[in-house]
Amino acid sequence: MADHLSPDGKLQLITRNLQEVLGEEKLKQVLQERELKVYWGTATTGKPHVAYFVPMSKIADFLKAGCEVTILFADLHAYLDNMKAPWELLELRVKYYEQVIKAMLESIGVPLEKLRFVKGTDYQLSREYTLDVYRLSSMVTEHDAKKAGAEVVKQVEHPLLSGLLYPGLQALDEEYLKVDAQFGGVDQRKIFTLAEKYLPSLGYAKRAHLMNPMVPGLTGAKMSSSEEESKIDLLDSKEEVKKKLKKAFCEPGNIQNNGVLSFVRYVLFPLRGEFSIKRDPKWGGDKVYTAFEEVEKDFSEELIHPGDLKASVEAALNQLLDPIRKKFESPELRKLSNTAYPDASKIKGAGKGAKGGGGGGGGEEDELAPSRLDIRVGKIISVEKHPDADSLYLEKIDVAEAEPRTVVSGLVAYVSPEELQDRMVLLLCNLKPQKMRGIESQAMLLCASIEGEPRRVEPLDPPEGSLPGERVFVEGYETGKPDDRLNPKKKVWEKLQVDLKVSDECVAQWKDKCLMTKLGQITCKTLKGGNIS
């Protein structure tokens, strides 16, 4: 295919679906003269999951454009990143990554003979590379090194020096792999800009950088190997895939932080050029989409039900995973998987390492404390249809502030205006305000919901006698102070929301602890076992 593409055509294929490109003029210049040399590196830490199909689909694009592609298994980086991979497991994890990444590429039809696979420690322990690490460390400030790794290296209370070395080594890899460009997620942007700033100081060329968007996980936050609820493992069974997708965040009409929809955009469309929705004829029947924008538009207008979207993604995902599962049925690869990723309790020094990580475990718990949510009782003083969206209400809600808050909610199909007028409700008040069809929503009205046909939704109810502005807290977390505003990049709400449920007694809970005000428990009327969002 590459033989028939012009340099402009190759550039279009190389850059499609990327969030950002640094050094596009350099790319154009190289493509006028020869094929582009690009590398993608992955630190061999936790098990790769289905979000890895996003870079794999871009690697397929690079090969179609004639690029010379190198895949780096960054084993030394895995150790430097707060010892995410213990030294004694590095070799095993590299072997696991190599087998599973190759299986992924084969499942999407990428010819392996066109790729070069390199292990970091094959050259990163050489005399020349080591000297360059020292040379670079004499130029890079502690501030720049810490800033560069902030979104990639695990952040703990007492950071190790190794985490400061990580960004510099990634910059040097560009020179030692002899590439024109590095490809990675947009979370690595600060490392890329550090490379652009400092490599010329060592006498090396500045490279171009290609950045994928960060794809939301199943909870709406970044898909992460360390967060079991956020990801689907490549070796998960069909039953596990179904279970995890069923619990995935996929609110009707909501196209923000929707991991299911993002998988369609960044994996299925680039690989297949189309996406099929399978559904009962009474709900519109099957439909084939040839552009992602059509899928997004229909979902936002609630013409595609979340259940139908999940079922269709489930079928497509299992087609991708089946060859990988089959490959790992062999006794050798099953043994490799078990030895590369043993139970944490069986890893030598695991307990000591966890403690020595600078209080990382306790910090994580603190980070996800439900007291960070500013949930208050509010009273709906007016409700009307959104002027530009039939499925949305526009409400004015009193939370005992100088002015009532404007709230946009997708409740038209579930609750009548009469039921909402003068009702006492619960509001999440410290989300970043967000425009919904042109009108800024200043809070989120919290509801219980149960998926199915039909989907059922009910606003949560504060205790009788509650007044606007009263604070809602989780039992056992009464004294914590809410954030002034939840940082969208940290996905605090999305991570906490996963554990918000309605009990069999219709009581709102977080991890089995009741949501309360000073007057008693938060409840809903009928939706036992429902989710809360």
Side-chain angles (χ1 to χ4, degrees), residues 33-100:
E33 302 168 1
R34 58 174 171 79
E35 305 298 0
L36 189 73
K37 298 177 182 178
V38 60
Y39 102 86
W40 173 73
T42 178
T44 52
T45 54
K47 281 187 175 182
H49 43 73
V50 296
Y52 278 61
F53 276 116
V54 178
M56 296 303 105
S57 68
K58 274 312 299 177
I59 287 170
D61 281 348
F62 297 154
L63 292 174
K64 290 174 187 174
C67 297
E68 297 177 22
V69 180
T70 297
I71 292 181
L72 171 67
F73 297 115
D75 51 346
L76 192 55
H77 286 79
Y79 182 73
L80 291 175
D81 187 2
N82 206 47
M83 296 185 293
K84 281 184 180 176
W87 190 262
E88 62 272 17
L89 294 179
L90 279 184
E91 186 67 29
L92 289 167
R93 292 196 175 175
V94 169
K95 289 178 180 176
Y96 180 86
Y97 263 69
E98 183 171 1
Q99 291 295 333
V100 84

Side-chain angles (χ1 to χ4, degrees), residues 213-432:
M214 299 310 296
V215 177
L218 302 182
T219 63
K222 174 184 171 183
M223 196 174 289
S224 168
S225 296
S226 61
E227 292 181 31
E228 191 61 32
E229 289 294 321
S230 80
K231 52 99 178 182
I232 294 173
D233 189 273
L234 294 168
L235 301 182
D236 277 349
S237 67
K238 291 184 177 182
E239 293 73 24
E240 288 170 319
V241 170
K242 180 184 288 291
K243 180 181 176 182
K244 289 182 178 181
L245 277 174
K246 188 175 181 180
K247 295 167 65 177
F249 176 77
C250 192
E251 194 174 53
N254 187 349
I255 60 175
Q256 303 296 323
N257 299 317
N258 187 324
V260 183
L261 207 54
S262 293
F263 192 81
V264 176
R265 178 177 185 177
Y266 293 111
V267 176
L268 299 182
F269 265 103
L271 292 177
R272 300 178 173 182
E274 63 179 33
F275 176 63
S276 299
I277 287 285
K278 305 288 186 182
R279 58 190 171 193
D280 193 291
K282 68 180 179 180
W283 305 118
D286 296 352
K287 183 173 181 179
V288 177
Y289 291 87
T290 56
F292 172 75
E293 291 73 20
E294 297 171 4
V295 180
E296 186 177 54
K297 180 175 181 291
D298 279 3
F299 188 82
S300 69
E301 296 176 358
E302 299 190 27
L303 299 177
I304 299 176
H305 189 276
D308 294 327
L309 179 67
K310 289 180 180 181
S312 302
V313 167
E314 178 189 339
L317 180 54
N318 278 319
Q319 287 180 1
L320 293 175
L321 295 180
D322 278 341
I324 304 172
R325 295 181 186 122
K326 186 172 180 60
K327 180 174 180 175
F328 274 78
E329 286 174 359
S330 74
E332 296 83 6
L333 291 184
R334 281 206 300 269
K335 181 180 178 182
L336 174 62
S337 178
N338 292 333
T339 52
Y341 294 94
D343 291 342
S345 60
K346 296 179 183 178
I347 298 175
K348 183 180 178 182
K352 181 179 178 182
K355 184 178 179 181
E364 185 73 12
E365 288 300 313
D366 293 343
E367 180 187 351
L368 295 180
S371 54
R372 295 182 64 178
L373 303 178
D374 182 8
I375 302 176
R376 300 183 224 164
V377 176
K379 180 179 181 179
I380 300 178
I381 56 177
S382 72
V383 54
E384 60 187 59
K385 284 279 192 74
H386 191 297
D388 297 316
D390 291 340
S391 63
L392 301 177
Y393 281 132
L394 184 62
E395 299 127 352
K396 295 288 186 182
I397 303 182
D398 176 16
V399 287
E401 295 175 331
E403 298 289 336
R405 293 203 181 202
T406 299
V407 177
V408 180
S409 61
L411 295 176
V412 171
Y414 310 106
V415 188
S416 70
E418 292 76 20
E419 290 178 273
L420 291 175
Q421 183 65 47
D422 297 323
R423 182 172 183 154
M424 305 301 290
V425 293
L426 265 62
L427 286 189
L428 178 59
C429 293
N430 59 343
L431 288 174
K432 181 181 179 181

Side-chain angles (χ1 to χ4, degrees), residues 5-32:
L5 288 174
S6 66
D8 286 344
K10 292 178 181 179
L11 182 67
Q12 190 278 328
L13 194 53
I14 289 166
T15 59
R16 75 167 177 172
N17 280 334
L18 294 179
Q19 182 163 325
E20 188 176 2
V21 176
L22 299 176
E24 187 167 332
E25 288 305 314
K26 178 178 176 61
L27 299 181
K28 292 178 181 177
Q29 181 183 341
V30 172
L31 289 170
Q32 291 292 336

